[in-house]
Amino acid sequence: MSNIWFIAIAQGFVFALAGIAIRVQYSLFKGFDFSVAASIAVAAETFTVVANRFQLAPPSALLAGTLSSLTASLIIMCGWNLSIWAVLRRLKKFNKNTGSALFVTSLGFSVGASGLIGLLRGPGLRQSFFNALAQVSLLGMKLELSNLFIIITGALAALATLLWLRTPSGLGLALIAQNEEFAQELGVQKIRIIMPCAIVGGATTGLIGSYTSLSSGSTPDIGLPIFLYGAGAALVFQSARIQSCLWGGSLLGIFYVISQLFVSPSWVNAILFGAVVLLITLRGSSRTRQGLR
Amino acid sequence: MSFLLTVLFLCFTYAICGIAARWLSAKLGIDSIAHGVIIGTSAYTYALCGRANISTGGCIISALLIGSFTGWLVILLSERVTGEDFALASFGVQVLWLVTVKNWDSVTGGVLGVPGIRSIPAPWVSNFPLSHAIVALTILLFSGYILHRIDLSAFSGGVALLKRSKELAFTFGVPSLTVRSQVGLAYGLCLSATGVLLASFLTFISPDQFGTNISVSVLAISFLVISGQRRIGSGILGAFWVVGAPQLLRLIGLSSTRVGFAQLFLSGMLVACSPFIAAASGKAKPQ
């Protein structure tokens, strides 16, 4: 039974990290940002390629794969945040809804990235070579390395994010999330918050990518379903606070794993996607289209 | 020749979806990412009705009815969520549909799909791709004409009010739910016709053919469609760039799966650039 809770916590961390990445981008740019999905897909692919290319022993392969996937996702998120900031500033001059523009542009970017990955390496699932060996003994239990990895690194990443939220840039993000004009009047400069947000997004998506590659392998479109789970984790408590993503992710993770005791895992995915759609629909769009941003 | 006719068929088929998606966006101001759900539902209905030994006419009518109903259901979401919230909800519906069809082995055949689908008979043309290309072109012209007639009707005024504001439409006595239902049914009908055409042409369908890829491709084409009288021409041109041009890569020896990824890459890039296309084409005016 304790093993199940261990898996539930690991799954909760995956959803929570995706939720944090989505919520940070949402607070900053006022819209759903699919670059999170692109970053996860590229990170997972990078991990698999590095681990398989160098054929290192498991601890070294894990370290090399994680570092390379973190680097790839950080590059993507930093480049993306700077570009989209410039693009949205320009589009604001036109009478355009920047939330929709962000959604469409980032969706195109994410789908294009999946297409490029598929075009370069071909279709199908790619797994790390040490996947089959990836089990460790801890407290008398046989635990999967991927779950242990995401619990340790996810906890560290969540802690670092919570600490960052107490710094001036973190508080600036919280102000922007509440009211951008008000934040500007108080002297919060968005350009100075973009890079810390990209680092948070890059670190969380890099860890999710590494976990995905370790546990199930990478496919070109692996990021899109995780994005949807992350959106569920970010929206479940209807709060603009980034901390709530942790609770939202944990709740979804526990639900995901416990449900698998009664229903087949693939049906659990369908149930959870249905729950996320229901959540988005029930939340609705407010009259001013601001919602809980 | 057969290859070129196949490309032509695909261009016409995707053009129908593109103009329907553009029409939906112009009427209600929403961008759906659940086009694959409607196309897939009608394709599966056509295939499964055929398997149940229903006549071809019965299969087509059932597919069109159920496809239109699915379109209506998807568009009904816009009564509650708009803008990017609707786009995200429709994306969720798309993923949900895909997972459900993949798992419902007993009915849909799961990931293996449905083989041996009955083709729509065309006794007047012996060439299989040519007959389907002609049918697709006919449906495209008919859809374009019908959507144009709707644009010119009084119904369009009510829809324009609803697009501006739900409250404004209510004040003028325009029933929001009824108008959305009518738009959803018309949009669903166009997309379900393409579902039937695809199933009949391919004679085999699987869930992955109607995934996010097809939805994003249709979205990309819709961004290239120009409303009004140039709707059909721009739709065919858009479909050629998004679907036809990548197919031509097969001539240089690229496998069909890689061509699919090339199409996905091209669609993604087009969708990513769409806000700039809109700004450059004057759909958005500088403030």
Side-chain angles (χ1 to χ4, degrees), chain A residues 93 119 266 281-282 285 293, chain B residues 80 84-85 103 258 287:
Chain A
K93 289 178 188 167
L119 193 62
S266 40
T281 312
L282 290 179
S285 299
R293 287 174 187 172
Chain B
R80 181 130 185 103
E84 67 270 27
D85 293 335
N103 284 304
R258 293 220 175 193
Q287 279 182 326

Side-chain angles (χ1 to χ4, degrees), chain B residues 16 52 55 67 90 99 106 113 141 150 154 168 175 192 202-203 205 219 221 247 256 261 267:
Chain B
I16 301 168
S55 67
S90 65
V99 176
S106 55
L141 293 172
I150 295 175
L168 189 67
S192 43
L202 299 170
T203 66
I205 52 169
L219 190 67
I221 296 166
Q247 289 294 328
S256 56
F261 282 118
S267 309

Side-chain angles (χ1 to χ4, degrees), chain A residues 26 30-32 34 87 90-109 111-124 126 220-221 224-225 227-228 231 235 264 266-267 269-271 273-274 277 280-287 289 293, chain B residues 29 31 33 76-77 80-96 98-105 167 208 212-213 216 219 223 249 254-255 257-276 278-280 283-287:
Chain A
Y26 197 93
K30 310 277 183 259
F32 293 103
F34 273 84
V87 166
R90 182 158 167 68
L91 283 175
K92 253 185 186 171
K93 289 178 188 167
F94 295 92
N95 196 9
K96 276 202 78 75
N97 173 10
T98 51
S100 279
L102 172 69
F103 186 95
V104 169
T105 312
S106 63
L107 174 72
F109 171 65
V111 169
S114 298
L116 191 62
I117 292 171
L119 193 62
L120 293 175
R121 66 92 142 143
R126 298 278 162 95
D221 54 356
L224 292 174
F227 176 88
L228 203 56
L235 297 175
S264 80
S266 40
W267 277 116
N269 278 329
I271 293 167
F273 287 140
V277 172
I280 296 163
T281 312
L282 290 179
R283 174 177 166 265
S285 299
S286 71
R287 205 169 288 177
R289 298 268 298 275
R293 287 174 187 172
Chain B
D31 289 318
I33 311 173
L76 220 57
L77 286 175
R80 181 130 185 103
V81 283
T82 56
E84 67 270 27
D85 293 335
F86 174 79
L88 185 69
S90 65
F91 171 70
V93 170
Q94 173 69 66
V95 180
L96 174 64
L98 196 63
V99 176
T100 308
V101 173
K102 274 184 179 174
N103 284 304
W104 203 0
D105 288 346
E167 284 74 23
D208 285 327
T212 319
N213 313 4
V216 174
L219 190 67
F223 287 132
L249 291 173
L254 219 62
S255 67
T257 41
R258 293 220 175 193
V259 165
F261 282 118
Q263 184 184 322
L264 197 60
F265 173 66
L266 200 66
S267 309
M269 290 300 107
L270 261 170
V271 170
C273 296
S274 61
F276 304 103
K283 282 175 191 164
K285 299 269 184 272
Q287 279 182 326

Side-chain angles (χ1 to χ4, degrees), chain B residues 137-170:
Chain B
L137 180 63
T138 312
I139 293 174
L140 172 64
L141 293 172
F142 184 69
S143 315
Y145 174 74
I146 294 293
L147 295 181
H148 182 65
R149 294 302 304 172
I150 295 175
D151 282 350
L152 297 177
S153 69
F155 170 74
S156 241
V159 182
L161 271 177
L162 184 63
K163 188 186 171 187
R164 270 184 86 87
S165 159
K166 198 174 166 181
E167 284 74 23
L168 189 67
F170 180 76

